[in-house]
Each structure stands twice: as structure tokens, then as C-alpha cells.
Amino acid sequence: MSMASTKNLVPSHFSFLNSNPKFTFPKTQSFSLYSNPFCITCSKKVKRRGKLRYPSEKKKLKQQQEAQVDVENKFEGIWRLSKLSVSVHKDPGKDFLGVSDALLQEIAKVLEFPVASMLPQEAFKVVRKSFDARKLQKEQKFVYTVDVDVHKLLNLEPRTWEFISELEPKVGLIEHLPQDRTSGDIMSIVHACIKSGQDATTSEHGDRNLCNGSHTNASHRKPKVAVVGSGPAGLFASLVLAEFGADVTLMERGEAVEKRGRDIGALVVRRILQEESNFCFGEGGAGTWSDGKLVTRIGRNSGSVLAVLETLVHFGAPQKILVDGKPHLGTDKLVPLLQNFRRYLEKLGVTIMFGTRVDDLLVKDKHVVGVKVSDARDNSSHSMNQQLGYDAVVLAVGHSARDTYQMLLSHGVSLVEKDFAVGLRVEHPQELINSIQYSGLANEVQSGRGKVPVADYKVVEYVNTNDIALPSNSAPRNRSCYSFCMCPGGQVVLTSTNPSELCINGMSFSRRSSKWANAALVVTVSSKDFAALDLHGPLAGVEFQRMFERRAAAMGGGNFVVPVQTVTDFLDNKLSGTSVPSSSYRLGVKATNLHELFPSHITSSLQQSLLKFDKELPGFISSSALLHGVETRTSSPVQISRSADTYECTSLRGLYPIGEGAGYAGGIVSAAVDGMYSGFALAKSLGLFHGSIESILGKAQSAGVAKY
């Protein structure tokens, strides 16, 4: 048998090769087991060259040229293979995170290795798995990104040597990584920094000297830091600072998740709103009783995001979040995770004060020297204030801490009004969304227990209101409309922090098994929208939110009843009757005309976006789809000015505004990343760390307006 014919062998003919480890497969043939030997086609595509190329072709060519960098050693490090597609019918399903036989077939195609079954599964690691249900393709599929451990692959199957030797980088498909990019959790990163700082004088490795940090000398007093707010930003800032040896006190106006859960139960069942412990305030922040989404726009594969996800896994999150293309936790997973996080912080010596509201800052010579706190559980006028001194204060409040914004203004802190979005929350039967997205595959969802994920959607449109008569000082005529915080298999919940105001959000549990799907449909608003209603100043956005939350409460008739309208009636500007489809919202709904809620240009934008969404998702406009009012707290309406390098407030030294409430994040992951980076920055300012976190995890990215 000639060497030139070996690639045409069927798999059963390869058994003799196991006895000959030096045998390698020649790669001279133009077809393989994956080509059809009975069908030979010949087609030559005329290529455009030079100035005849389209701009998109020129861009692609430039990317390819940039990617064609010589790999110094192809047999070291990791080869990352992306966009590997496996038919949904061949894949084990959404919950399988390993390397299946069908995935091995796709890997073999990229490596041009003739027999997939000979590839050792142990040499491959799935780093991303997503479900692609787009209508333009022939069939739905799972899309993988896989890392190839070259050293392990060659040890287990030496005959892959020649195939690895001929691998070349391809933009978006094949990438060579000199070393594994896995960063590890935050604790291990800090410990590595501390160790490298201790070894800096003798280390010969430049990368390790970048950290060059260590704990303060035991003979010196530990710097005292107050972290205000126990959302993702506050928790991760506390973790980094405590690991570096700071004396950290974490203050939270709300309650620990155990007590917070009971307070939320009292709200849902008996309509009793605890103004300091609710869906917005309490351990874990507003994201705890939400869908627990971990998607982010700041770089899914960045070292900082991976560090946050690894840390969440350390505290009890499922390993799946490291692989899933759209990771989420669900409230039922977040509650025990937060308990584990809290216990770890307490072991590090962090003092955690629940039910503690920060009423004011202690300021001396434009420098924050402490905080004034009171018992948030005591509603009496005789509540005692306590003054506590600190070397620095990390302000990690959420975007609903409106009293904090007012307090900061009293100290002359620079607050800048920021664009955000407002709108309505739409709810469909989950089966309808499954059918729209998956067609015949909808029966594979099985209430979150099936082979494919519970269907979701994300829609974005750009609309104009040129045909609407607007006042001369009105808002812009062009604005973006988009779905926000889509909760498949979820429910609509109350996020009011004041009994006279009404605002809502969505949440899901980890399985996403409810019979409803909901998402906010929102339009962007800016200072021009605020000015049109005679609202001015840095807190104009806050007053804009309050105006429509109070109006929604009045339209619902009080007692946290939500005003609703079917999508079809909303488009026709009518109210067919008092009977509406069932809603997941447990405190009651009332049929109203939601055209009475927002100004006409916002209402018109919502109508236009619904019509456009229906073109993208046929069936989205339905009499069974119910709009709920009002969704206003999509992101912070202000941004607290701070230094881009030190994270310190530009108006008050010693104050570090971070996270979503400060206007620098939009969602759980971006808030956690902001908290992590600010923790390193403050540790550096306090002399606990002397390196550069950017050299380890890359440059921090701001999330801006949330659109997750």
C-alpha cells in the first residue's frame, strides 16, 4: 500500500497503524474522508484585486495579514479553534460541556486529521459553547470554541505531529496562544502578586516583577477602608482589599440574603415594602433577585471577566458559566453563592454591617476621613447617628440610592447627568417565544430541562419621531430602542423603593422553567428629554424617573398594582376591555391605556420599535403579549466624576465611586470588574500593592449604558 493512498482509507483500515507509532499521515492529497470521492466539482472564483476590492474585503485582508505572524513554536502552548459547528441533532445538548464524538469530527476537519476517533478527547478543552438558532441557516447548531493542548495531544497521539506542524493562524478561526490564558480566580491572582513581590529581588522573570506587591509591614497599622454597598462592585472591591491586608468594613443598608428573602416574601404576599430591604437593596445588590445574567459587553474572553467568573465558581457557581455563551445563574444559585462569599470575607477579617445606612461623609480639607451611619432598621426620629473614621471610602451603592446622590451634591461632588433608557416590560407565553425562535425544535426546550436552551431574544432598532409634533425645546427625534434584561422562563417583579412609586424588573431562577418570558422594551433618553419637562441639573434624570414611577403608581390605582395593556391594543391606542392575559406579576395588574404614561414621542418610539421587532421575530405582536408599566431603572441616571487611573473622586480625595450606581457599569459582571480594578487601584494608593493590574488582566473597559 503506497503512502500516497493512505488518506483514502476508511477508518476500519487504520487498525494496523497503532502498532507503528512512527507512521504519519501524508497531507499531499486534495481530498479526505470528509470529501465525496464520487463528486468532483471544479469552480474558479474570479477574485477582485487592488482598488477593485470592496472595503469589507480590504478590511478582511488586513486582518488576515495581521494574523499571519510566524508562530515561533507550534508545539508549545495552546491552539484555539473557534466556530466549530455541531448539528443540534448530533450534539448531546446544552448541559453537556465535554468533547463529544461529533465535536471531535469538527476538530479533525480543522486539523485535517483523517480519523477523528483516533484523537484523544483529553487533549481538548471546550472554552465556549453557544446555541445558534438563526433562521438563515439550514439547521440549528451548537457552536464551540476549543483549546488544543499541544503537549498533551502529542504525548497521547504522536501521529498528530505533522498536522500540527502545518497549522496556520486564521482570523476568527485558528489562533495560537503561547500559554493558556486562564487567569484563575481573584484570590489566586492577588496571592501571586504578593508572592512575586516578596521574590522580586531574586526573580529573573520580568512578568512576575510587574506585581511587586506585598502586605504592609506588620508593625504598621493596617489602612482602614469602608466599602459602602454589597453589590458585585462592593463585594469584589472588598475581596481584593482584604486579600492585600487592608482592614475592611463592608456596610450595607439592606439585609443579608436570608433576611432579605423573607422581606421580599412579605412584599409579594402581604404588600409590605421594607424600604431598606427589597428587590433593590440588600446583600448582592439588585442583581440577586434578578436573572443573574453574566453576559457583558466588556470582553467575554478578557482576563478580568474570566477572573470574575472563576471567582464566582470558587464560591459555588456552576462550572457551566465558564463555557456557556450566555451564562446566567438565577436567584436560587445566587443566594448560596453570596453566603459563601460572605463567609470567606469574614475569614479574611472583613467586618460586615447589614442594616447600616451611610447618611453622610466626614470631610476635612476636601478629604473624606470617614462616614456617618445610622441603623436602617430604626425608622424612628430618635435613630442615633454614629461617626466612623477611615483612610478611604469606596462608594459602591446601586443606581437606586437616590438619597446618596443628594448627599454627594451637598459636598460639592461633581455629578454629571447621564443618558439611560425607559420603557415598558413586555411578557409573552414562553412557548410562543420558543416557537418563534426554534420553530420545529421548540418541543426540545422542555421547561429548561431539554436539549436546547429556553429561547430568548435580543432586539435593537433605530427609530425616529419626525412625524410627531414636539415642543421647540424637545428631545431628539432619533433614538435607539432595544430589549433589555430579557428573562426567559421568568416573572415580572416589583423594584420600587418607595410606596408612592412603581417600577418593575424581571427575574428568573436557574432552570428558567416558568411559563412566561419577559423583557424590558426601552428607548434612550437624554438631557433634552429632561429639559422638555422642565427638569434641569445633575439629578434631572432621577426626577425624570420619579415622575413616571409616580404616574404608573397612580394609573395602577395604588397598592403596587401594575398598569398593563396588550401589545395589540397599545399599537391601536385603545382599550378593548378590562380583561387581559394572565401575568406573572403577583401583586395584581390593571388594564389601562399606557399611552397616558409617557410623552408622545417616547410612546411613538415604542410603537415603531414593536412593529420593527415583529418583522425580526414574526409573532412578537400578539394579543397574548402584555405590556407592563413602568421600567425606568435600566442604569444609573448620573455619573460620579473620578480619575480614570486611580478611581478616586475628582471632587473629594479619599472617595472612590465605583460600579453601576456611580455610572461605570451595567450588569453583574461589569460591576464586579469595576470593583476588582478599583480594589487594586486603592491598594496601590495605600501602599499595599506596587504593580500594575493592567499588566496582568489588561486595561479596564467601561460598560457605559447597560444593554444586556
Side-chain angles (χ1 to χ4, degrees):
M1 184 177 297
S2 68
M3 294 285 286
S5 64
T6 54
K7 270 204 170 184
N8 295 329
L9 294 173
V10 294
S12 60
H13 291 170
F14 279 97
S15 58
F16 81 97
L17 297 178
N18 291 326
S19 61
N20 186 2
K22 295 183 180 180
F23 184 87
T24 58
F25 301 111
K27 301 182 66 178
T28 57
Q29 294 293 93
S30 60
F31 56 90
S32 70
L33 289 172
Y34 304 109
S35 29
N36 186 343
F38 304 104
C39 180
I40 300 176
T41 60
C42 181
S43 61
K44 189 171 183 179
K45 184 177 180 181
V46 179
K47 293 185 177 180
R48 290 176 291 272
R49 300 179 183 278
K51 294 182 179 180
L52 296 178
R53 290 192 179 101
Y54 294 139
S56 59
E57 292 175 322
K58 293 179 182 178
K59 182 179 179 181
K60 184 176 181 180
L61 179 63
K62 182 180 179 181
Q63 290 175 331
Q64 290 173 339
Q65 290 171 343
E66 291 174 350
Q68 290 173 354
V69 179
D70 291 335
V71 178
E72 291 184 6
N73 190 343
K74 296 181 179 181
F75 306 103
E76 294 292 337
I78 301 292
W79 281 96
R80 176 160 290 178
L81 313 180
S82 301
K83 298 182 181 179
L84 302 175
S85 299
V86 176
S87 166
V88 67
H89 302 294
K90 296 180 180 179
D91 195 273
K94 70 179 192 316
D95 296 322
F96 181 80
L97 306 180
V99 179
S100 65
D101 292 340
L103 180 56
L104 271 182
Q105 293 280 348
E106 299 305 311
I107 295 171
K109 289 181 185 179
V110 177
L111 300 180
E112 297 186 30
F113 191 80
V115 187
S117 60
M118 295 180 65
L119 293 174
Q121 293 181 341
E122 304 92 320
F124 308 103
K125 176 185 176 183
V126 175
V127 295
R128 187 79 69 254
K129 181 176 183 177
S130 304
F131 185 58
D132 187 352
R134 287 176 296 175
K135 301 290 191 302
L136 297 178
Q137 54 195 8
K138 293 181 179 179
E139 61 178 349
Q140 292 98 336
K141 57 191 177 184
F142 285 96
V143 181
Y144 289 84
T145 298
V146 173
D147 279 356
V148 183
D149 186 325
V150 181
H151 182 71
K152 187 177 291 185
L153 177 62
L154 293 176
N155 279 343
L156 295 173
E157 181 47 81
R159 284 164 291 201
T160 58
W161 186 92
E162 183 180 352
F163 300 87
I164 295 296
S165 71
E166 297 195 19
L167 266 182
E168 295 294 342
K170 293 182 181 178
V171 175
L173 298 175
I174 304 174
E175 180 185 10
H176 182 259
L177 311 178
Q179 58 187 5
D180 194 345
R181 286 181 179 173
T182 303
S183 57
D185 58 42
I186 293 175
M187 294 77 77
S188 62
I189 291 172
V190 174
H191 296 167
C193 287
I194 294 171
K195 186 177 187 301
S196 66
Q198 293 169 346
D199 298 340
T201 56
T202 59
S203 173
E204 297 179 358
H205 302 287
D207 288 344
R208 294 175 65 82
N209 286 323
L210 291 171
C211 294
N212 194 23
S214 62
H215 288 294
T216 52
N217 191 302
S219 62
H220 292 82
R221 178 182 68 85
K222 287 184 177 182
K224 296 180 64 178
V225 179
V227 178
V228 184
S230 68
L235 287 172
F236 278 79
S238 298
L239 177 60
V240 171
L241 289 164
E243 287 284 8
F244 273 118
D247 181 358
V248 179
T249 300
L250 178 58
M251 302 175 181
E252 169 57 55
R253 69 193 300 168
E255 298 290 353
V257 285
E258 303 93 335
K259 175 66 165 60
R260 186 182 178 191
R262 293 192 292 271
D263 292 336
I264 288 175
L267 171 61
V268 172
V269 176
R270 301 194 300 275
R271 302 176 188 271
I272 301 173
L273 174 65
Q274 298 291 340
E275 295 187 31
E276 305 288 357
S277 179
N278 43 57
F279 278 96
C280 286
F281 298 147
E283 187 176 18
T288 304
W289 265 267
S290 182
D291 189 57
K293 293 178 186 64
L294 302 178
V295 293
T296 177
R297 298 181 298 123
I298 62 172
R300 179 67 174 83
N301 295 319
S302 67
S304 57
V305 171
L306 291 175
V308 166
L309 296 181
E310 290 277 6
T311 304
L312 295 177
V313 169
H314 177 88
F315 291 125
Q319 287 278 342
K320 184 179 179 180
I321 67 170
L322 301 175
V323 175
D324 197 339
K326 294 181 179 179
H328 77 105
L329 289 170
T331 293
D332 51 325
K333 300 291 185 183
L334 274 166
V335 168
L337 185 156
L338 288 167
Q339 292 171 323
N340 292 335
F341 207 134
R342 183 205 315 159
R343 295 186 190 104
Y344 186 85
L345 290 177
E346 289 174 336
K347 286 182 180 179
L348 289 177
V350 175
T351 301
I352 302 178
M353 302 169 63
F354 291 113
T356 302
R357 183 179 54 247
V358 173
D359 298 315
D360 204 357
L361 299 174
L362 302 179
V363 180
K364 183 178 181 181
D365 299 328
K366 288 289 184 178
H367 194 291
V368 175
V369 296
V371 294
K372 183 184 293 185
V373 302
S374 62
D375 186 351
R377 305 180 181 102
D378 187 354
N379 296 321
S380 69
S381 58
H382 303 290
S383 177
M384 296 294 293
N385 283 41
Q386 187 178 6
Q387 296 187 4
L388 304 172
Y390 292 98
D391 298 304
V393 174
V394 177
L395 195 63
V397 298
H399 57 51
S400 292
R402 294 165 172 172
D403 52 349
T404 301
Y405 296 146
Q406 194 67 54
M407 177 269 289
L408 292 174
L409 279 180
S410 69
H411 287 285
V413 173
S414 174
L415 300 182
V416 181
E417 61 182 28
K418 185 172 70 66
D419 294 358
F420 57 102
V422 299
L424 306 167
R425 186 158 285 265
V426 64
E427 185 170 68
H428 293 81
Q430 181 63 54
E431 287 185 354
L432 175 61
I433 300 301
N434 293 341
S435 178
I436 291 173
Q437 294 290 61
Y438 296 161
S439 301
L441 202 62
N443 59 352
E444 293 286 350
V445 173
Q446 299 176 12
S447 299
R449 293 174 171 80
K451 192 172 188 178
V452 300
V454 182
D456 63 4
Y457 59 82
K458 180 178 181 181
V459 282
V460 180
E461 293 292 346
Y462 190 69
V463 302
N464 66 74
T465 54
N466 288 329
D467 56 338
I468 302 297
L470 301 174
S472 57
N473 65 337
S474 69
R477 296 179 181 271
N478 298 310
R479 63 183 78 235
S480 61
C481 302
Y482 56 92
S483 61
F484 170 82
C485 188
M486 197 276 158
C487 298
Q491 57 187 288
V492 178
V493 296
L494 177 74
T495 52
S496 300
T497 51
N498 186 304
S500 65
E501 300 164 353
L502 183 66
C503 61
I504 54 175
N505 194 13
M507 68 164 284
S508 297
F509 292 105
S510 58
R511 187 59 69 178
R512 291 173 162 172
S513 58
S514 93
K515 63 181 182 180
W516 291 283
N518 69 76
L521 298 183
V522 293
V523 299
T524 52
V525 292
S526 65
S527 57
K528 291 184 178 180
D529 292 286
F530 314 151
L533 297 174
D534 199 26
L535 300 173
H536 305 279
L539 298 186
V542 174
E543 293 307 315
F544 185 86
Q545 291 174 329
R546 279 184 168 141
M547 176 180 292
F548 297 109
E549 290 173 8
R550 289 168 180 164
R551 190 175 295 177
M555 291 173 65
N559 218 14
F560 305 119
V561 174
V562 165
V564 297
Q565 188 175 18
T566 64
V567 168
T568 50
D569 279 0
F570 181 73
L571 290 172
D572 294 336
N573 189 13
K574 68 177 184 180
L575 195 61
S576 298
T578 57
S579 177
V580 294
S582 61
S583 168
S584 66
Y585 183 73
R586 295 176 59 181
L587 292 175
V589 298
K590 178 183 177 181
T592 57
N593 189 342
L594 293 176
H595 280 247
E596 300 172 5
L597 181 57
F598 289 117
S600 58
H601 55 279
I602 293 180
T603 302
S604 175
S605 297
L606 290 169
Q607 287 178 303
Q608 288 187 50
S609 63
L610 281 167
L611 293 171
K612 292 185 177 183
F613 293 164
D614 191 66
K615 292 181 179 179
E616 188 172 341
L617 303 171
F620 194 84
I621 294 176
S622 166
S623 58
S624 63
L626 194 62
L627 292 166
H628 301 64
V630 62
E631 181 104 13
T632 54
R633 306 188 191 187
T634 53
S635 66
S636 175
V638 303
Q639 188 172 74
I640 306 172
S641 300
R642 74 183 187 189
S643 165
D645 297 323
T646 65
Y647 290 76
E648 191 174 29
C649 177
T650 56
S651 308
L652 286 178
R653 293 179 58 200
L655 180 66
Y656 293 78
I658 66 171
E660 195 159 348
Y664 295 97
I668 292 173
V669 172
S670 59
V673 168
D674 198 55
M676 176 177 65
Y677 275 86
S678 67
F680 275 94
L682 179 51
K684 188 172 184 176
S685 175
L686 295 172
L688 304 174
F689 171 60
H690 303 285
S692 166
I693 185 59
E694 287 81 4
S695 65
I696 307 167
L697 296 176
K699 189 173 178 61
Q701 298 183 49
S702 175
V705 179
K707 293 184 182 179
Y708 66 99

